[in-house]
Amino acid sequence: MTSENRGYPLRNPHPAADGNVWNWAQNSTLGDKNAVCAPASESELQQLVAASRGKIRVMGSKMSPGRMLKLVEQGDTLVDLSKLRGLIAITDDSATFAGGTPLHEVYEILSGIGRMLPASPGVIASQSLAGALSTGTHGQGLQQSSIADEALSIRLVLADGSIAEYDRDHKWFPAVQLGLGSLGVLTQVTLRTTPSVVYTCFKNAVSADTLEEDLLDWNHN
């Protein structure tokens, strides 16, 4: 297969000192490292967004395709939310996390109190919570939802720097759930939680002759 018809760039390891920000797959540059801003608080993020005269991309863990995050014009900004992370509040059946919290921290914190998300987790737990929601990340299995489906309310910094909160009763909530970063910067999300359940995973090799029927049976089991 030639590069002309491959349809995607190959992984391209690069020197750490090349001055560029690369996506997670290391096959696309996102912009100059000097274009990255990492606000230490929500209020600092508000000021950054309100003062920006260019476009803003929220890079999360940089796992989205490079074209979604790539800066185009001078003055565009890559926002790093890694300092806005951690558990903010918890109730008997919900937990509120900062948007920059990595998924593995979400799972570790919930597991520590015997709770878990009803959604099946994705494969890569280094994603940020905001990124996982905004891109529709999901695991697998029948009756399983995406992580965004477990959001009860979402808090955003809008383009003018103001704060907006959306819950499941708001008519725009479905758009905010999977906004791809286009509606604002997601700073907090309240997630539905349930008692943690321990599953046992069995792995074995089988014939693919009846795979179509087997997949349905395995998921039911």
Side-chain angles (χ1 to χ4, degrees), residues 67-210:
R67 62 185 179 276
M68 283 186 64
L69 302 176
K70 190 176 183 65
L71 303 184
V72 177
E73 303 289 344
Q74 191 75 21
D76 290 352
T77 303
L78 277 170
V79 174
D80 176 2
L81 294 182
S82 60
K83 295 180 181 178
L84 276 64
R85 64 197 292 171
L87 179 67
I88 294 172
I90 195 161
T91 70
D92 289 343
D93 56 6
S94 72
T96 301
F97 290 91
T101 309
L103 286 184
H104 68 84
E105 288 188 16
V106 172
Y107 298 138
E108 289 163 5
I109 290 170
L110 292 179
S111 293
I113 57 174
R115 306 292 294 181
M116 189 45 64
L117 304 183
S120 172
V123 174
I124 303 174
S126 58
Q127 279 180 282
S128 68
L129 177 58
L133 261 72
S134 298
T135 56
T137 291
H138 59 85
Q140 62 185 23
L142 295 178
Q143 312 302 324
Q144 289 288 351
S145 62
S146 72
I147 295 175
D149 282 333
E150 307 312 329
L152 300 175
S153 65
I154 297 172
R155 182 177 172 99
L156 299 176
V157 172
L158 303 182
D160 62 357
S162 63
I163 297 290
E165 296 194 44
Y166 302 89
D167 61 22
R168 300 187 77 87
D169 293 328
H170 198 288
K171 64 180 180 179
W172 295 342
F173 190 73
V176 176
Q177 279 177 294
L178 275 79
L180 295 175
S182 62
L183 302 178
V185 183
L186 196 160
T187 59
Q188 292 183 25
V189 57
T190 298
L191 298 162
R192 176 174 29 227
T193 67
T194 58
S196 185
V197 177
V198 177
Y199 292 94
T200 301
C201 178
F202 297 94
K203 294 185 178 182
N204 57 291
V206 298
S207 169
D209 294 341
T210 58

Side-chain angles (χ1 to χ4, degrees), residues 26-101:
Q26 294 190 9
N27 58 16
S28 178
T29 58
L30 306 182
D32 190 280
K33 290 180 179 178
N34 293 325
V36 176
C37 290
S41 66
E42 186 180 70
S43 61
E44 190 174 315
L45 173 62
Q46 287 180 266
Q47 295 171 21
L48 168 66
V49 172
S52 174
R53 294 296 175 264
K55 293 184 177 180
I56 288 178
R57 298 285 185 267
V58 185
M59 64 184 194
S61 297
K62 304 187 291 292
M63 291 182 182
S64 293
R67 62 185 179 276
M68 283 186 64
L69 302 176
K70 190 176 183 65
L71 303 184
V72 177
E73 303 289 344
Q74 191 75 21
D76 290 352
T77 303
L78 277 170
V79 174
D80 176 2
L81 294 182
S82 60
K83 295 180 181 178
L84 276 64
R85 64 197 292 171
L87 179 67
I88 294 172
I90 195 161
T91 70
D92 289 343
D93 56 6
S94 72
T96 301
F97 290 91
T101 309

